[in-house]
């Protein structure tokens, strides 16, 4: 049966974070708050757990899971051919609502779905998420909803959809924003905005003036 912890209570938050990290290490799924919407997370390097995550959402491998990290320094072990412009975007907007699509290190043995050698990676601006990611490491995290349903802004909505497919729910109240992250592809010579979310093209161009917008 799923366990739920109120992160507004210091004792419950400490216990919940410890239990969430333990659950992820066992290959189980957890729900965590982020600065955009609630996410469902798993060990990014456990292919079976990532498969369970996709199954819980009713999502196929053609829509691979993004990865959340607790620090920009983690990128050094995850991505390759990361341009100076990509680092400038990280410096300007992390932690925050910017997801970067980059080429992952070819030596990594993870299986996030059909990624074609890339990974969508973000550092969220939420203290509970950062604490869990700092403790555990990179996690595969996708919005905690069933495919085709709205992304949840509170723990109740996430639990109503995902139920006991998740071991631990970390409830930190409503998320600060209803807008998803913006997604920028940095695998080419010029960054390309794939999805305008919390950050507009104009805001991103203040850092990378030659940013292109996908059709």
């Amino acid at each position: 049966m799923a366990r739920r912890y109120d992160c507004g209570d210091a004792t419950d938050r400490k216990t919940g974070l410890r239990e969430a990290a333990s659950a992820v290490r066992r290959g189980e799924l957890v729900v965590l708050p982020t600065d955009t919407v609630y996410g469902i997370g798993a060990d990014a390097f456990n292919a079976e757990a990532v498969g369970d995550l996709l199954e819980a959402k009713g999502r196929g491998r053609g829509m691979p899971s993004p990865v959340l990290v607790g620090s920009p320094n983690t990128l050094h072990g995850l991505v390759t051919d990361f341009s100076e412009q990509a680092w400038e975007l990280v410096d300007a907007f992390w932690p925050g609502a910017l997801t970067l699509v980059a080429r992952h290190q070819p030596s990594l043995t993870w299986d996030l779905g059909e990624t074609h050698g890339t990974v969508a990676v973000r550092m969220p601006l939420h203290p509970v998420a950062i604490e869990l990611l700092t403790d555990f490491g990179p996690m595969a995290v996708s919005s905690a909803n069933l495919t085709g349903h709205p992304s949840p802004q509170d723990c109740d909505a996430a639990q109503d959809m995902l139920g006991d497919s998740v071991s631990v729910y970390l409830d930190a109240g409503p998320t600060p924003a209803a807008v998803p992250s913006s997604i920028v592809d940095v695998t080419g010579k010029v960054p390309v905005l794939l999805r305008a979310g919390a950050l507009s093209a104009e805001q991103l161009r203040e850092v990378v003036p030659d940013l292109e917008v996908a059709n």
Side-chain angles (χ1 to χ4, degrees):
M1 184 175 179
R3 290 158 290 158
R4 179 164 165 169
Y5 298 90
D6 177 7
C7 294
D9 178 90
T11 301
D12 221 27
R13 170 180 166 147
K14 183 177 180 180
T15 304
L17 283 166
R18 184 183 66 238
E19 291 299 317
S22 296
V24 176
R25 289 189 181 96
R26 293 193 298 269
E28 298 170 0
L29 305 179
V30 302
V31 159
L32 65 155
T34 78
D35 49 335
T36 56
V37 297
Y38 272 74
I40 177 173
D43 180 354
F45 295 95
N46 183 328
E48 185 175 350
V50 175
D52 290 343
L53 183 159
L54 296 176
E55 183 178 345
K57 286 177 58 68
R59 174 184 283 192
R61 289 176 49 81
M63 297 180 68
S65 175
V67 168
L68 295 189
V69 297
S71 166
N73 290 332
T74 308
L75 283 173
H76 293 290
L78 299 182
V79 301
T80 186
D81 299 328
F82 208 63
S83 68
E84 187 61 33
Q85 288 180 312
W87 282 114
E88 290 172 354
L89 287 169
V90 168
D91 290 342
F93 298 112
W94 279 20
L98 175 64
T99 298
L100 296 173
V101 177
R103 299 193 185 284
H104 71 69
Q105 292 279 1
S107 58
L108 295 179
T109 57
W110 59 17
D111 182 4
L112 302 168
E114 301 300 334
T115 65
H116 306 289
T118 67
V119 58
V121 61
R122 181 169 87 89
M123 179 182 176
L125 180 57
H126 195 290
V128 172
I130 289 177
E131 194 167 339
L132 178 60
L133 293 163
T134 301
D135 179 14
F136 179 78
M139 289 176 57
V141 178
S142 184
S143 56
N145 61 308
L146 297 174
T147 298
H149 290 68
S151 299
Q153 286 185 262
D154 59 47
C155 200
D156 285 342
Q159 193 162 8
D160 286 346
M161 285 187 277
L162 299 174
D164 286 340
S165 63
V166 169
S167 295
V168 174
Y169 287 85
L170 297 176
D171 182 1
T175 57
V179 184
S181 66
S182 295
I183 302 176
V184 175
D185 183 343
V186 295
T187 60
K189 292 183 177 179
V190 177
V192 178
L193 178 61
L194 301 179
R195 181 181 74 187
L199 296 168
S200 67
E202 290 71 25
Q203 288 173 293
L204 295 163
R205 282 183 176 133
E206 290 178 5
V207 178
V208 285
D210 55 347
L211 175 88
E212 295 180 352
V213 177
N215 295 324

